[in-house]
């Protein structure tokens, strides 16, 4: 992980502000979902990308009845019917 060289303070509501230069570089816009991950003693923010509920793939994922499924799992489900 490469440090960005930016320090921000957490406000009384637990919020931090991401600098405009970082939001622009990583194409993060107002209202975009952000996933919060924990790895050891690191907190990682990344743009949310839906994963398949069955295999966790992020490739060719589509929403179906408020859940996300990848094309492979969808194909396997079709074979069951």
């Amino acid at each position: 992980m490469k440090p960005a060289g930016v320090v921000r303070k957490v406000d009384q509501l637990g919020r931090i502000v991401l600098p405009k230069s970082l939001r622009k570089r990583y194409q993060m816009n107002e209202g975009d979902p952000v996933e919060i991950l924990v790895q050891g003693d690191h907190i990682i923010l990344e743009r949310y990308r839906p994963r398949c509920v069955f295999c966790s793939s992020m490739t060719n994922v589509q929403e179906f009845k408020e859940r996300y499924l990848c094309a492979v799992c969808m194909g396997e489900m079709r074979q069951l019917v």
Side-chain angles (χ1 to χ4, degrees):
M1 222 177 333
K2 183 179 176 185
V6 176
V7 176
R8 291 285 192 245
K9 290 188 178 186
V10 178
D11 74 8
Q12 62 191 33
L13 295 175
R15 299 176 297 198
I16 59 169
V17 175
L18 297 176
K20 185 175 183 175
S21 60
L22 288 177
R23 294 192 317 264
K24 191 173 183 176
R25 182 189 308 167
Y26 294 103
Q27 300 171 359
M28 298 174 84
N29 299 305
E30 182 179 342
D32 287 351
V34 175
E35 191 167 16
I36 302 169
L37 307 167
V38 177
Q39 194 173 54
D41 61 348
H42 296 277
I43 299 170
I44 302 167
L45 301 177
E46 63 179 49
R47 282 179 282 137
Y48 173 73
R49 293 181 294 170
R51 292 179 167 91
C52 176
V53 294
F54 296 114
C55 70
S56 298
S57 172
M58 290 188 280
T59 306
N60 295 323
V61 176
Q62 296 179 358
E63 187 174 3
F64 178 74
K65 295 190 177 187
E66 298 181 11
R67 304 276 189 228
Y68 292 99
L69 300 168
C70 71
V72 173
C73 289
M74 232 183 273
E76 290 177 10
M77 289 178 67
R78 283 189 190 112
Q79 292 176 355
L80 295 173
V81 179

